[in-house]
Amino acid sequence: MKKNQNTNLFSAPNIDFSKTVSIISSLSFIKKAFPSSFGLALLMFLFPFVFVSCTIDPTKKISLSGLNLAFGTNIGNEHIQSTLVLLVFLFGLVTFVLSIIYVVKSKKLIYLAIPSGLGILNLLILIIFRHNSINQLNEQVVPNSLFNVKLSQVVTMDFTLAFWLCLFLNLAGSIIGIYLLKNKDYV
């Protein structure tokens, strides 16, 4: 009998995954995940979105958060700001507020459709921002260079996990919103 007890200690636990699946697939969980994804996307703006470093002197690195890019920051003599990231931040605020109103107060179609659409728009704007940033590096020439050295040969730009999570969370919020629209979970 003692031998059976020892073998049971190392056997796999008997877990009923049907309860977990039913909780995740329940509409109340999905409704709570709708504003949460947009809120977490806004939270990502506090973290670095981009790391910029010099290939000549690797010790020279700059990190720019989403808020730095949206509202601007001074680096040396230059003021850096991205209107596209500002749009994503402002649209993110609108999506978060409207999705909270949808979950807490009113089940109207407008509080579901607008955040879903703006989440997709934010996703597209972030992709355009990344594309434009990389193109600018590849097209600009280093000032006062004798041999027309491209900026991309001297500077590297890395998009961080916070940037990619912001992009993914906007997509996830939009998918959840579209799912709720499909299930006609509105008045």
Side-chain angles (χ1 to χ4, degrees):
M1 181 160 176
K2 201 155 185 132
K3 190 175 184 181
N4 280 344
Q5 286 178 341
N6 287 342
T7 57
N8 286 341
L9 288 175
F10 298 107
S11 63
N14 188 9
I15 298 174
D16 184 16
F17 287 107
S18 63
K19 289 181 183 178
T20 307
V21 171
S22 68
I23 290 171
I24 291 174
S25 65
S26 73
L27 214 50
S28 66
F29 175 80
I30 292 173
K31 286 179 191 174
K32 291 175 186 168
F34 182 54
S36 299
S37 61
F38 293 124
L40 288 172
L42 280 176
L43 186 66
M44 292 301 117
F45 275 82
L46 297 174
F47 299 102
F49 260 31
V50 177
F51 283 123
V52 181
S53 60
C54 178
T55 56
I56 296 170
D57 185 5
T59 60
K60 293 185 179 181
K61 293 182 180 181
I62 299 169
S63 67
L64 298 168
S65 71
L67 290 177
N68 289 145
L69 290 168
F71 296 105
T73 188
N74 291 325
I75 298 175
N77 296 336
E78 284 198 48
H79 183 76
I80 296 174
Q81 182 189 14
S82 171
T83 308
L84 293 175
V85 177
L86 179 62
L87 280 174
V88 170
F89 182 76
L90 294 176
F91 289 162
L93 282 174
V94 171
T95 58
F96 181 61
V97 169
L98 290 178
S99 61
I100 289 284
I101 290 171
Y102 169 78
V103 170
V104 174
K105 190 174 181 179
S106 175
K107 301 282 186 242
K108 292 186 180 177
L109 174 65
I110 194 165
Y111 297 123
L112 188 57
I114 290 176
S116 299
L118 285 178
I120 292 171
L121 185 61
N122 275 349
L123 173 79
L124 295 174
I125 292 172
L126 284 171
I127 291 170
I128 291 169
F129 165 72
R130 182 178 182 279
H131 179 75
N132 287 350
S133 299
I134 292 170
N135 278 349
Q136 272 186 326
L137 274 181
N138 291 332
E139 291 173 0
Q140 285 187 349
V141 175
V142 176
N144 302 326
S145 67
L146 296 174
F147 302 108
N148 290 331
V149 176
K150 299 277 185 192
L151 197 57
S152 61
Q153 295 172 326
V154 181
V155 175
T156 60
M157 182 182 295
D158 298 316
F159 290 86
T160 66
L161 181 63
F163 174 84
W164 294 108
L165 281 175
C166 184
L167 199 135
F168 171 75
L169 289 165
N170 276 294
L171 175 65
S174 295
I175 289 172
I176 292 168
I178 292 167
Y179 175 80
L180 292 170
L181 280 168
K182 185 180 171 218
N183 286 336
K184 297 186 175 152
D185 189 51
Y186 53 86
V187 180

